[in-house]
Amino acid sequence: MNQNKLFNRTRWKLAISYAAVMGLILSLLGFGVYKAIAHAHWVALDRELESVAGTLHDSLELKLQQPGRLEPIVNELLPNLRLIGVNGIKEQLPSRHTLSAINQSYYYIRLFDKSGNLIATAGAYPEKLPPTFNSQNWQTITDSTGNIYHQISVSLHTQNQENWGYFQVGRSLQDFNDYLSTVRLVLKLGLPTALILVGFSSWWLAGLAMKPIYASYRQIQQFTADAAHELRTPLAASQATVESGLLMSELDEKEAREILRTVERQNRRLTQLVADLLLLARMDNQPIPDRPQLCCLNDLVSDLVEELAAMAIAREVALTSELPVHQPLTVIGDSNQLYRLVFNLIVNAIQYTSPGGKVTVILEKSDHLVVIHVQDTGCGIAAEDQKQIFDRFYRVNSSRDRVTGGSGLGLAIAQAIALAHGGSLTVQSKLGTGSIFTLRFRERNAALMNDAMNHGVIGTS
């Protein structure tokens, strides 16, 4: 397939299309995953800040007595408390679980009076953070060195519900940004790797998807070549015969009749070949007849054995039939097609059986199946050829088929008819011992007979 430029180019186009679509999907998926992770961490960060701020806010309001003034007991709640303009405040270790987050290196606290002036800081307060107060509830700010912080502001009241000032809890976003940077790095490295794998997978999948198409293409190519060859042979023979007659200055009646007989014989062969091709084409488009008929296989086998007896005698082959089942075995379908099916099998057996050999047609019922065996003592078929003998124009022995006049369509037609009637056609053969072609139909076809006849759905033949 890779040597065919058309299919190779199509395969490349399919692979590139698959890779492009998958790349777009993976890119969108990666972007969505990144946004989802960032949003989830941002929500978790907000909840964490709200929890810490709420706990400390409630604890502070229980201890504040005068607006703008910090009571000494506040030192027990806030680590590293430092009053603006005052030094030497003694640090005390936290004694409450609410201080665990504040002890982390990325949390800080700021206290403002009612006028928005910074009074005190606590925790890991960044010195380069602007001391101005903003009344917005949530803020994301940047210091002079480019570090980003996220903070929440809440108002504070004294024990008497007087307005004390404002309370801010913030944290550095350094760990948050580092985590997102790691996620971006993973996506940047993972996406090209995934695209490379997708590219190879797309190439493989494109080849896998095109295999049956290429097989059909090759089959059509072979069929076209074989059909052209088969049609060319009788046409060339007729043309040569006519040209040889035209080159003669005079033709007597005997010579003219001989030329006409040759042309007629080649024309008959050409007509039969075209008819076979048309039959196969019709069966591909409409395999089952609109009004199927009831066909008795007992009568069909008996009639064919009697009809082909002369052909068998001419080839010195004994043709017999065995009908161990006395009850009528019937199937529903096209009687002409079924006749053609069994006819082809018997003729094929006679043609490939040497003089003195024997061909036996057996009709029986087995395991709810109606079975026809066409058994011969001919030359047999090699194992490697048995899978191809039902292909159109395939010949096991091409030179011998030329002698017998076969076109290589007989078994292909037989297989097509069998499949169209819900049956199967198989072969068992061994070189030098002969072949057995077995035709099977489901018994359900016969079981439908009475009901179909009662309702006038089928006719009889």
Side-chain angles (χ1 to χ4, degrees):
M1 183 171 66
N2 290 333
Q3 277 120 25
N4 188 294
K5 292 183 178 180
L6 174 63
F7 279 87
N8 196 35
R9 186 165 59 250
T10 304
R11 185 178 182 182
W12 271 112
K13 290 181 178 179
L14 282 175
I16 292 173
S17 300
Y18 291 159
V21 171
M22 287 302 300
L24 179 61
I25 293 174
L26 288 175
S27 299
L28 293 176
L29 182 62
F31 180 76
V33 169
Y34 174 77
K35 286 296 184 181
I37 291 175
H39 177 73
H41 278 72
W42 192 262
V43 170
L45 186 147
D46 283 350
R47 289 177 179 175
E48 184 179 299
L49 276 175
E50 282 182 330
S51 176
V52 172
T55 302
L56 291 177
H57 173 269
D58 295 341
S59 301
L60 282 173
E61 284 194 337
L62 293 176
K63 296 172 175 58
L64 297 177
Q65 298 179 2
Q66 297 181 11
R69 178 182 175 184
L70 289 174
E71 307 300 330
I73 195 173
V74 174
N75 296 338
E76 299 179 4
L77 293 175
L78 303 178
N80 302 329
L81 182 65
R82 181 167 62 89
L83 297 177
I84 300 301
V86 180
N87 296 320
I89 300 297
K90 184 179 180 181
E91 298 182 5
Q92 297 184 10
L93 293 176
S95 58
R96 295 167 60 92
H97 68 279
T98 56
L99 305 180
S100 59
I102 302 301
N103 283 326
Q104 302 296 326
S105 60
Y106 42 79
Y107 271 94
Y108 64 88
I109 295 174
R110 295 199 295 183
L111 296 169
F112 295 87
D113 60 16
K114 292 186 293 183
S115 300
N117 299 316
L118 183 62
I119 296 177
T121 62
Y125 179 72
E127 297 296 335
K128 297 182 180 181
L129 201 65
T132 57
F133 174 72
N134 192 316
S135 60
Q136 292 181 357
N137 190 22
W138 288 101
Q139 302 171 58
T140 301
I141 57 178
T142 305
D143 64 12
S144 59
T145 59
N147 295 321
I148 304 175
Y149 302 88
H150 191 54
Q151 64 184 23
I152 182 173
S153 301
V154 294
S155 59
L156 279 174
H157 300 83
T158 65
Q159 296 175 356
N160 299 326
Q161 297 302 314
E162 294 183 69
N163 189 8
W164 186 93
Y166 300 97
F167 171 72
Q168 282 185 347
V169 177
R171 60 160 293 170
S172 171
L173 295 182
Q174 185 63 42
D175 60 325
F176 177 74
N177 292 330
D178 290 344
Y179 179 78
L180 291 184
S181 297
T182 303
V183 173
R184 286 195 297 268
L185 179 62
V186 171
L187 291 176
K188 288 178 181 178
L189 295 178
L191 185 60
T193 303
L195 288 178
I196 292 173
L197 294 177
V198 166
F200 284 109
S201 300
S202 299
W203 175 257
W204 177 74
L205 288 174
L208 193 65
M210 292 187 64
K211 273 187 177 180
I213 301 175
Y214 184 71
S216 299
Y217 170 77
R218 291 291 298 169
Q219 188 174 8
I220 292 173
Q221 269 192 329
Q222 186 65 38
F223 176 79
T224 304
D226 292 339
H229 180 73
E230 291 296 333
L231 292 171
R232 183 177 59 187
T233 301
L235 288 173
S238 299
Q239 181 69 20
T241 303
V242 172
E243 289 178 354
S244 63
L246 292 175
L247 292 175
M248 297 180 182
S249 58
E250 294 183 1
L251 285 175
D252 57 22
E253 181 179 353
K254 181 179 179 182
E255 291 174 335
R257 287 184 175 277
E258 185 65 27
I259 292 175
L260 290 176
R261 275 195 292 266
T262 302
V263 173
E264 189 271 338
R265 184 170 59 253
Q266 297 299 330
N267 185 67
R268 186 168 57 249
R269 179 182 176 186
L270 184 62
T271 302
Q272 182 62 44
L273 178 60
V274 172
D276 289 345
L277 291 174
L278 289 175
L279 175 62
L280 286 171
R282 284 198 302 268
M283 293 190 66
D284 288 338
N285 296 327
Q286 188 180 3
I288 301 176
D290 294 333
R291 289 184 59 83
Q293 298 173 324
L294 177 64
C295 180
C296 179
L297 296 182
N298 307 61
D299 296 339
L300 186 146
V301 170
S302 299
D303 292 346
L304 280 172
V305 170
E306 182 178 351
E307 178 181 339
L308 295 173
M311 178 182 179
I313 293 173
R315 295 187 61 87
E316 300 180 7
V317 174
L319 176 61
T320 59
S321 63
E322 297 180 8
L323 307 175
V325 180
H326 300 289
Q327 69 185 58
L329 300 179
T330 58
V331 294
I332 295 176
D334 189 314
S335 60
N336 292 327
Q337 290 184 6
L338 293 172
Y339 182 91
R340 179 71 179 276
L341 164 59
V342 182
F343 177 87
N344 284 1
L345 294 179
I346 297 176
V347 169
N348 186 74
I350 293 174
Q351 290 178 345
Y352 281 92
T353 300
S354 302
K358 182 179 180 182
V359 174
T360 305
V361 184
I362 305 171
L363 174 64
E364 62 182 6
K365 181 179 178 182
S366 173
D367 295 332
H368 307 290
L369 295 174
V370 178
V371 183
I372 297 178
H373 300 285
V374 179
Q375 181 176 358
D376 64 65
T377 59
C379 58
I381 305 171
E384 59 271 15
D385 293 323
Q386 292 181 20
K387 294 182 179 180
Q388 297 177 278
I389 59 173
F390 297 110
D391 294 343
R392 299 174 186 183
F393 295 111
Y394 183 80
R395 298 185 184 88
V396 176
N397 189 338
S398 180
S399 61
R400 186 171 182 179
D401 282 329
R402 294 299 180 193
V403 176
T404 60
S407 62
L409 291 176
L411 290 179
I413 293 174
Q415 177 79 300
I417 295 174
L419 294 176
H421 288 76
S424 65
L425 178 60
T426 59
V427 61
Q428 292 179 337
S429 183
K430 187 179 294 186
L431 285 175
T433 60
S435 306
I436 302 176
F437 286 84
T438 302
L439 178 63
R440 295 181 177 88
F441 293 105
R442 293 177 184 265
E443 191 179 10
R444 62 180 175 86
N445 286 346
L448 293 174
M449 173 187 63
N450 293 330
D451 182 66
M453 291 183 62
N454 292 334
H455 290 83
V457 176
I458 60 173
T460 58
S461 61

